[in-house]
Amino acid sequence: MTKNIAVIRGDGIGPEIVAEALKVLDKVGEIFGHTFNYTDVDMGGCAIDKYGDPLPESELQKCLKSDSVLLGAVGGEKWNNVPGDKRPEKGLLRLRAGMGVYSNNRPAKIWKQLSDASPLRKEIVEKGIDFIIVRELIGGIYFGEHKTVDDTATDVLSYSESEIERIGRIGFETARKRNKKLCSVEKSNVLDSSRLWKKVMHRLAEEYTDVELSDMLVDNCAMQIVKNPAQFDVIVTENMFGDILSDEASMITGSIGMIPSSSLGATSCGLYEPIHGSAPDIAGKNIANPIGTILSAAMMLRYSFDMGKEADAIENAVSAFLDADLRTADIMSEGKTQVGCSECGEFIAKNLKRE
Ligand code: NAD
């Protein structure tokens, strides 16, 4: 298979971590017989320096013509004082809008080798934590009307059936590619929008008979994520609930440097990026952890290119890195050997195997 990938290296540690993900993708191509073509795209601070714009139309078009987009991170102090509409983050918002992505998907996974890094008790972690939160990204209360009249402020939360259906389908499709369990999270005991949410999810379940659907109230879900996270495979929820739950879920896994994400819309062209920022404090020192970006590339293979075996191979090579007691600085602990960003990427690429 040949796939064209738009590559946004961005700012800070972005270029370093993306370089390692490309090493790993190249190795996947070599052993599984695929060709990955890369097109460099300038976005963020580097694009402001070059064009005076965080994402010029020509750069956006390169992304839209690709099969998927891999992003490092953007932003940094240098651009903190540029006007609001020219800030690096504006590039990211324009990219998301241009790609029409309406779901953000974040895995919460604890690697058994890093279980000590979790703030949860050992016996909870030992049951295994490996789930994804699929969050609706462009609707709900963040996008409803906001107004303040006299001493009263109002924010409107509304969802249409079609908005719920399209995110619901991403939830079901994601579950299909995993362990076929989908938990729909809402507040249907109080909110009309949640009752509609629940109704649409159950209508969709009749189509996805291979996926087991369950319902959970959001307050209970917040508790269950710390009490018994092993019960979850895929959680699908609306924008604000997902915002809060996905931050909670990333905390229980330990290191911010290890977590990938995807943003998907109606087409298979997705945006894949680690959840962390451009970490200017450690940029250029070869100490960043590239695993969040490498795992983002693995998600791209699984969810946009239908290359499940190739994604498994990357995840197994990450596990081999941790099994070898090698660690980047952010996940370093006693008795382990510290390696740099490039050594980490090289090890993972070298240890990729076709099962
Ligand atoms: P950050 O995620 O960049 O860094 C927070 C802390 O985590 C820092 O101490 C950093 O060194 C560490 N860290 C982050 N990623 C790491 C990695 N891969 N390996 C090791 N350590 C890592 O958050 P911040 O400091 O709040 O933001 C820095 C810049 O990034 C800001 O300009 C912000 O606007 C931008 N940002 C960009 C994105 C994005 O591009 N999607 C997301 C968040 C923040």
Side-chain angles (χ1 to χ4, degrees):
M1 238 187 253
T2 298
K3 294 289 177 190
N4 299 314
I5 302 172
V7 175
I8 306 175
R9 297 170 200 264
D11 310 311
I13 58 170
E16 301 166 55
I17 54 180
V18 168
E20 301 315 312
L22 298 188
K23 266 184 208 166
V24 173
L25 278 175
D26 283 341
K27 190 66 190 290
V28 169
E30 192 186 309
I31 62 179
F32 286 89
H34 304 304
T35 304
F36 299 119
N37 300 319
Y38 308 119
T39 303
D40 269 304
V41 172
D42 293 315
M43 186 180 93
C46 58
I48 296 172
D49 289 350
K50 215 162 155 181
Y51 313 102
D53 185 333
L55 183 66
E57 184 60 27
S58 58
E59 298 302 285
L60 172 61
Q61 286 304 323
K62 290 185 194 169
C63 296
L64 301 184
K65 285 188 193 122
S66 69
D67 293 314
S68 262
V69 181
L70 182 67
L71 163 66
V74 296
E77 211 169 314
K78 182 177 170 195
W79 304 281
N80 277 355
N81 295 323
V82 296
D85 64 331
K86 292 273 183 249
R87 287 177 63 88
E89 300 76 19
K90 278 282 171 199
L92 191 52
L93 294 180
R94 201 180 294 162
L95 178 64
R96 285 184 182 145
M99 291 180 71
V101 289
Y102 48 77
S103 87
N104 182 256
N105 316 298
R106 263 202 210 177
K109 170 169 172 146
I110 291 218
W111 297 83
K112 64 179 187 318
Q113 305 91 332
L114 299 179
S115 53
D116 287 351
S118 173
L120 295 185
R121 282 209 313 273
K122 203 165 169 238
E123 60 268 30
I124 295 176
V125 175
E126 273 170 357
K127 284 201 237 156
I129 300 177
D130 187 358
F131 61 95
I132 289 196
I133 298 184
V134 174
R135 164 189 168 195
E136 202 287 326
L137 202 57
I138 58 171
I141 199 163
Y142 295 167
F143 288 82
E145 187 192 358
H146 309 289
K147 66 173 181 194
T148 304
V149 178
D150 300 329
D151 63 351
T152 304
T154 308
D155 301 285
V156 175
L157 165 51
S158 105
Y159 271 107
S160 67
E161 282 209 32
S162 60
E163 282 176 308
I164 299 171
E165 177 168 339
R166 65 186 188 177
I167 186 73
R169 287 194 184 279
I170 297 221
F172 278 102
E173 294 291 339
T174 304
R176 259 192 180 159
K177 288 177 178 157
R178 293 175 47 97
N179 294 322
K180 300 187 173 55
K181 275 174 59 189
L182 180 65
C183 180
S184 163
V185 171
E186 29 69 4
K187 188 75 181 165
S188 58
N189 53 343
V190 180
L191 301 175
D192 266 27
S193 58
S194 281
R195 284 190 275 273
L196 182 64
W197 180 279
K198 190 171 171 180
K199 190 180 105 186
V200 174
M201 289 299 158
H202 281 266
R203 172 164 60 73
L204 287 176
E206 289 170 17
E207 261 179 68
Y208 293 88
T209 48
D210 53 329
V211 175
E212 182 195 321
L213 176 70
S214 60
D215 306 295
M216 193 176 276
L217 296 175
V218 63
D219 40 356
N220 185 26
C221 183
M223 287 193 288
Q224 295 299 328
I225 283 177
V226 290
K227 193 173 163 216
N228 180 19
Q231 70 187 287
F232 296 114
D233 178 26
V234 180
I235 289 173
V236 63
T237 191
E238 61 100 82
N239 200 345
M240 183 168 65
F241 297 161
D243 189 11
I244 298 165
L245 294 177
S246 59
D247 266 14
E248 182 192 8
S250 59
M251 269 313 295
I252 64 173
T253 65
S255 172
I256 188 177
M258 302 283 298
I259 308 176
S261 77
S262 72
S263 300
L264 295 167
T267 70
S268 61
C269 178
L271 170 63
Y272 296 85
E273 57 178 317
I275 67 159
H276 59 73
S278 60
D281 52 330
I282 56 167
K285 296 183 180 158
N286 192 32
I287 54 172
N289 185 345
I291 295 178
T293 317
I294 291 170
L295 293 172
S296 299
M299 285 186 86
M300 175 187 292
L301 300 183
R302 189 182 308 280
Y303 295 106
S304 281
F305 302 163
D306 241 330
M307 296 181 184
K309 286 204 167 61
E310 292 82 340
D312 288 345
I314 295 181
E315 286 163 8
N316 290 339
V318 168
S319 201
F321 172 79
L322 299 172
D323 280 340
D325 284 343
L326 301 173
R327 302 285 187 267
T328 47
D330 57 316
I331 50 172
M332 183 60 190
S333 61
E334 216 185 313
K336 311 297 179 201
T337 305
Q338 190 171 321
V339 298
C341 179
S342 56
E343 291 74 24
C344 173
E346 264 150 37
F347 184 98
I348 292 168
K350 210 167 142 207
N351 283 273
L352 251 153
K353 290 191 184 72
R354 190 175 180 150
E355 294 296 316

